[in-house]
Amino acid sequence: MNVNPRIIEENERKYMLTDVSSCTFTFSDGLKSKVIPSPDNEIVLVKLIPRISKIKRFEECVLKHYPSIKTVSELAEKCQYICVKTFTRHFKKCFGETPYQWILDRKMEEIQSLVLNTDMTITEISEMYEFKTLSHLISSYMKRYGITPHKDRLVRNG
C-alpha cells in the first residue's frame, strides 16, 4: 500500500501546535500533567493513551468470565493474573470493592431474581448456587434483603 507522504504530513500538521511555551492536560479524574519544551524549543510529541481503555478491558474481562467461575482465584486466572493479590488490587480500583464481595453481591442479585421470577424452589436455587445448606442461603438472603426468600416471594408476587 503506497501512501502519499504529503497527505500524512498534512494530517499530522493539524495536530501540531507552534509557539507553545507549555501545555497542561487535565484529565477526567482530576489529575494534571504539564508539558514544557526544552530550552532549545525542541519539538515535543505527546501521545495520550487513556487509562480508561485498560480499566474498560479489565471490566469487560471480569464480566465475560464471571458467570463461569466459582472462586476469586479462578476469576483472576481467567483474567490472566497469576497473583490473586495483584488481581484484587486492580479489581478494587475498577469496581470499588473486593472481588469476593462483588461476586457475592452478583450471586445474591441472581438468587433474588430467581426467587421472585421463577417457580424454582428455594432448595433448588440453593443447590444451583452450591450453598452447603439451605439455611446458609436463607440466612445470607435475610442478611442482604432483610426478609427470607420465601416471604419475599409471597410479598412481591402476592
Side-chain angles (χ1 to χ4, degrees), residues 15-24 35-38 41-42 44:
Y15 297 108
M16 291 180 73
L17 302 173
T18 57
D19 299 325
V20 176
S21 61
S22 71
C23 182
T24 302
V35 178
I36 301 172
S38 69
N41 289 326
E42 295 174 0
V44 176

Side-chain angles (χ1 to χ4, degrees), residues 100-114:
Y100 176 79
Q101 188 59 51
W102 186 87
I103 290 169
L104 185 61
D105 289 346
R106 298 301 75 72
K107 186 185 281 192
M108 291 308 296
E109 288 168 1
E110 292 170 10
I111 289 169
Q112 185 183 43
S113 180
L114 289 172

